[in-house]
Amino acid sequence: MPSLKSLAKDTAIYGMSSIFGRFLNYLLVPLYTHVIAAANGGYGVVTNLYAFVALILVILTFGMETTFFRFANKEGEDYHTVFSTAMAVIASLVAVFLGGIFIFSDDIAAALGQAAHPEYMQIMAVCVAIDAIQAIPFSFLRFRQQAVKFATLKLLFIVLNIGLNILYFVAMGKNDVYYVFMLNLVCTSFITLFFIPEFLHIHWKVDFALLRRMLSYSWPILILGIAGILNQAFDKIIFPWAYTYTGAHSADEATIQLGIYGACVKIAMIMAMITQAFRYAYEPIVFAKSKDRDSKEYYAQAMKYFIIFTLFAFLCVIGYMEVLKNIIGTDYHAGLRTVPIVMAAEIMMGIYFNLSFWYKLIDRTIWGAWFSLIGCGVLIAVNIIFIPRYGYMACAWGGFAGYATSMTLSYIVGQVKNPIVYPMKSIFLYFLLTAVLFLAMELQPESWHAILRLAINSILIAGYLAFVVLREGLLRRRR
């Protein structure tokens, strides 16, 4: 029987691997931002292309990860057939995608402002195709609660990628952006070999009647996913165009500014790590527990503890910014003011994810598509209108506005269609406390020594933890 304890255990495995993996991956940020100077715009190219990769990956997976969990847990469905059918959808999309990329590679590269380097786009196209193929096997590991293998493969990719990057950029002293993409391809291809046991275990069969039902369920999730990833990546996709639209800024300056923003966002992405780790553990459990009488109480408590932990992470990042800012090169530090805004946006995205299960469990995923599209519309409007004047600060606030919109709509409609009694008093109190502590950290005079600020911030963070322990009665529960 799934419980908060089992959720915490699985989240710990997924979370530690994700957080540790992202920490290791952060080693690439100082590496890239030190060997690729902000002034040459190379990191801006990396930021821009990886934003496209994130969007394309959502399209190629076509919502089949969530769809796989839903149908594999349905009575009367054979999970082997569900797996095979989901893989058939993704493989078909990947074949069409790669064909289009290599036939029209020169034209596409020119449209992306990379006419001189179509090979960048070709390499990343193959990478994203392999990632899409891996999506369902990774979901299969989560379905069978093989968290250790899941985490091991994720970490192996990162360790291998870091090792090869250090070998090339440090030991060999190179700084060619081409190898940022090529090394990614080598590592992604290698990880695929470890899924051979899963491919051999499955009894391959495509059920076309099942396929129609799965597609009916998945296409709104696809729309939701596209809107969701646009909330994360649209600013990095549109920035080069929007920043130069009025003619007040050059294309080279746009690339430089995008590189600064992209580097600073990496610090804020610790919140995305936590949300992702929670999702990996929570999604399979939600569908498995949906038949239980206490399921809604479980969802409400899970939401509260998710918020408590993400607010704690927010305070830790802000409180120790003096240390964390050294992850990136000093010529990228001008963008650090975006970090609190982007982290707050990621918290709202995590809450929106938690709220999303009311329509997934009643097979009304179209609601999620509408919420995400509206939120995405807000983000797009903010970016297009304000980037020419405010640069990457508009990107940060655009994400905040978009997620806030989707989160609010999902809560309001959900309370009508499939109400869950969330502990709103406690949730509001934790947000209020976090806001007060954040202001206490931000308003400290810059003339104070860094060690003094770190000490004060540590006391403030400890105060937050003490409040949580006392209010939630965590000490009493252990007795």
Side-chain angles (χ1 to χ4, degrees), residues 178-254:
Y178 169 83
Y179 280 92
V180 173
F181 308 120
M182 179 55 75
L183 296 177
N184 191 323
L185 174 58
V186 171
C187 298
T188 301
S189 302
F190 179 70
I191 293 300
T192 305
L193 299 176
F194 291 89
F195 286 114
I196 292 176
E198 278 66 40
F199 288 133
L200 293 177
H201 172 83
I202 291 297
H203 306 150
W204 294 91
K205 176 186 176 183
V206 177
D207 184 329
F208 288 97
L210 173 64
L211 174 62
R212 286 191 294 272
R213 288 186 284 120
M214 290 178 68
L215 290 176
S216 177
Y217 184 87
S218 69
W219 76 260
I221 295 177
L222 170 64
I223 302 300
L224 188 156
I226 291 174
I229 206 64
L230 284 176
N231 277 329
Q232 296 180 19
F234 179 80
D235 51 359
K236 304 170 191 69
I237 292 172
I238 200 66
F239 190 88
W241 173 82
Y243 197 63
T244 59
Y245 177 72
T246 62
H249 308 284
S250 68
D252 288 341
E253 186 180 357

Side-chain angles (χ1 to χ4, degrees), residues 230-231 234-235 238 241-242 373-390 394-395 397-399 401-402 405:
L230 284 176
N231 277 329
F234 179 80
D235 51 359
I238 200 66
W241 173 82
L373 283 174
I374 294 170
C376 186
V378 171
L379 176 143
I380 291 172
V382 171
N383 276 272
I384 292 177
I385 294 170
F386 295 108
I387 282 178
R389 182 173 180 181
Y390 297 105
C395 299
W397 282 111
T405 300

Side-chain angles (χ1 to χ4, degrees), residues 66-389:
T66 299
T67 302
F68 170 75
F69 287 124
R70 178 57 172 163
F71 283 82
N73 280 289
K74 277 191 172 184
E75 293 184 8
E77 298 289 1
D78 175 26
Y79 70 83
H80 294 274
T81 305
V82 175
F83 180 97
S84 303
T85 305
M87 285 295 295
V89 172
I90 293 176
S92 300
L93 292 173
V94 163
V96 173
F97 167 71
L98 288 178
I101 287 292
F102 281 93
I103 291 172
F104 303 105
S105 59
D106 291 339
D107 294 332
I108 297 173
L112 297 179
Q114 299 296 325
H117 298 285
E119 68 276 12
Y120 293 173
M121 180 199 60
Q122 293 168 349
I123 293 170
M124 291 312 297
V126 177
C127 281
V128 74
I130 296 174
D131 283 341
I133 293 294
Q134 290 179 358
I136 300 304
F138 268 120
S139 296
F140 186 68
L141 295 181
R142 292 160 59 198
F143 171 72
R144 300 189 69 188
Q145 296 184 322
Q146 293 180 267
V148 173
K149 181 174 181 178
F150 180 100
T152 300
L153 292 181
K154 291 290 186 180
L155 287 175
L156 178 61
F157 169 83
I158 293 168
V159 171
L160 182 61
N161 193 31
I162 291 173
L164 292 178
N165 272 273
I166 291 175
L167 175 64
Y168 179 77
F169 288 105
V170 178
M172 297 176 64
K174 306 294 184 179
N175 62 359
D176 190 345
V177 174
Y178 169 83
Y179 280 92
V180 173
F181 308 120
M182 179 55 75
L183 296 177
N184 191 323
L185 174 58
V186 171
C187 298
T188 301
S189 302
F190 179 70
I191 293 300
T192 305
L193 299 176
F194 291 89
F195 286 114
I196 292 176
E198 278 66 40
F199 288 133
L200 293 177
H201 172 83
I202 291 297
H203 306 150
W204 294 91
K205 176 186 176 183
V206 177
D207 184 329
F208 288 97
L210 173 64
L211 174 62
R212 286 191 294 272
R213 288 186 284 120
M214 290 178 68
L215 290 176
S216 177
Y217 184 87
S218 69
W219 76 260
I221 295 177
L222 170 64
I223 302 300
L224 188 156
I226 291 174
I229 206 64
L230 284 176
N231 277 329
Q232 296 180 19
F234 179 80
D235 51 359
K236 304 170 191 69
I237 292 172
I238 200 66
F239 190 88
W241 173 82
Y243 197 63
T244 59
Y245 177 72
T246 62
H249 308 284
S250 68
D252 288 341
E253 186 180 357
T255 305
I256 292 169
Q257 293 298 308
L258 179 59
I260 291 172
Y261 176 62
C264 290
V265 165
K266 291 292 185 181
I267 298 176
M269 284 300 101
I270 187 171
M271 202 58 66
M273 292 189 302
I274 294 170
T275 302
Q276 184 182 58
F278 188 82
R279 175 190 172 190
Y280 285 153
Y282 193 42
E283 195 168 41
I285 290 177
V286 166
F287 288 113
K289 193 175 177 64
S290 60
K291 305 178 187 68
D292 295 352
R293 291 183 178 181
D294 65 341
S295 60
K296 289 189 176 183
E297 180 182 349
Y298 173 85
Y299 302 152
Q301 289 299 307
M303 169 73 88
K304 182 180 72 172
Y305 286 110
F306 170 80
I307 290 173
I308 288 172
F309 187 66
T310 52
L311 292 177
F312 169 69
F314 175 87
L315 291 173
C316 286
V317 172
I318 301 304
Y320 298 111
M321 186 61 69
E322 287 288 340
V323 176
L324 293 174
K325 69 181 183 182
N326 295 310
I327 290 174
I328 59 178
T330 54
D331 50 349
Y332 292 83
H333 285 185
L336 288 173
R337 53 195 175 137
T338 63
V339 173
I341 305 167
V342 176
M343 288 191 71
E346 289 293 333
I347 291 174
M348 288 188 289
M349 190 274 283
I351 295 172
Y352 175 49
F353 169 78
N354 276 270
L355 293 170
S356 71
F357 285 103
W358 73 258
Y359 54 77
K360 292 179 181 177
L361 290 170
I362 62 174
D363 294 348
R364 294 290 293 165
T365 49
I366 188 63
W367 281 108
W370 282 116
F371 300 148
S372 293
L373 283 174
I374 294 170
C376 186
V378 171
L379 176 143
I380 291 172
V382 171
N383 276 272
I384 292 177
I385 294 170
F386 295 108
I387 282 178
R389 182 173 180 181

